[in-house]
Structures are given as structure tokens and as C-alpha cells.
Amino acid sequence: TNGPFGGNINSLVVSGTNIFAGANHGGVFLSSDNGSNWTAVNNGLTNTSFISLAVSGTNIFAGTLGSGVFLSSDNGANWTAVNNGLTNTVVRSFAVSGTNIFAGTRGGGVFLSSNNGSN
């Protein structure tokens, strides 16, 4: 089996039939066959040190160790930074409630986005 490399796996999320793994220092990996094979999906990521992942609808959020939050709306094929208003860029955890995304940061408190990370 070909698995995610580059460090510890800090986060796993499921979106439909896809499994996403956030590696400590290897980026985001995708499996669409129940974990038998994994592919790195890091296009657009400026930081591949990941702490947390979250799914909201068809959007995937990735929290990094120092570069804030990235969003993918195409199953990880492309990522865009969504940090407007985020004053702490170490995102340790996410919670999703309806259309609200909560980002827990290291030492900076909790941030809320109700528009898919735009603000």
C-alpha cells in the first residue's frame, strides 16, 4: 500500500467517497479507494505543514502551522489561502456548524467565518 509520507498524520476527514489526510510536514493527501492508494494534492499550498482539516459541504479547509487557512472546492486539486481577518496563522483545529467555520488558533483564540473563509 502506498501511504502518506512526510511525517505524522495530524488530521483525517471524509468528503463523499474521498478521504483526506493532513500530514505534519508533507501536505494533504487524497485517497478515493478507501486508503489503498494516496496522492499528494498540494497545488497552491505555500505551506505543507498541516495541523487540521475540516469539511463543509463540498469545501475542504486546511489549517497550517504558520500560514493560516487554505480552501479547496475541487477535492484538493487546487488550494487558495483564505486568511482575511485571521490574525494568528497557526490553526490547530476546526469546527463546522451549518455554514459557520470556527478556527481554533494557538494563542490567538477562535475565529469565525460564515462565508467559506472569505472573512
Side-chain angles (χ1 to χ4, degrees), residues 59-78:
N59 293 321
I60 301 154
F61 294 88
T64 67
L65 182 62
S67 294
V69 178
F70 289 82
L71 165 67
S72 176
S73 57
D74 57 8
N75 286 313
N78 297 287

Side-chain angles (χ1 to χ4, degrees), residues 11-107:
S11 184
L12 291 169
V13 294
V14 175
S15 178
T17 59
N18 295 321
I19 302 169
F20 293 88
N24 191 32
H25 295 291
V28 178
F29 293 83
L30 165 65
S31 176
S32 57
D33 59 5
N34 290 315
S36 292
N37 294 287
W38 294 88
T39 303
V41 287
N42 294 322
N43 188 42
L45 294 175
T46 59
N47 184 338
T48 56
S49 295
F50 284 91
I51 297 174
S52 55
L53 294 171
V55 173
S56 177
T58 58
N59 293 321
I60 301 154
F61 294 88
T64 67
L65 182 62
S67 294
V69 178
F70 289 82
L71 165 67
S72 176
S73 57
D74 57 8
N75 286 313
N78 297 287
W79 296 90
T80 303
V82 287
N83 293 317
N84 191 26
L86 190 67
T87 59
N88 189 307
T89 58
V90 177
V91 179
R92 299 186 62 86
S93 62
F94 288 107
V96 177
S97 178
T99 58
N100 292 324
I101 310 291
F102 298 89
T105 65
R106 181 175 67 194

Side-chain angles (χ1 to χ4, degrees), residues 61 82 97 99-103 111-119:
F61 294 88
V82 287
S97 178
T99 58
N100 292 324
I101 310 291
F102 298 89
F111 293 81
L112 165 66
S113 177
S114 57
N115 56 8
N116 288 316
S118 293
N119 293 299

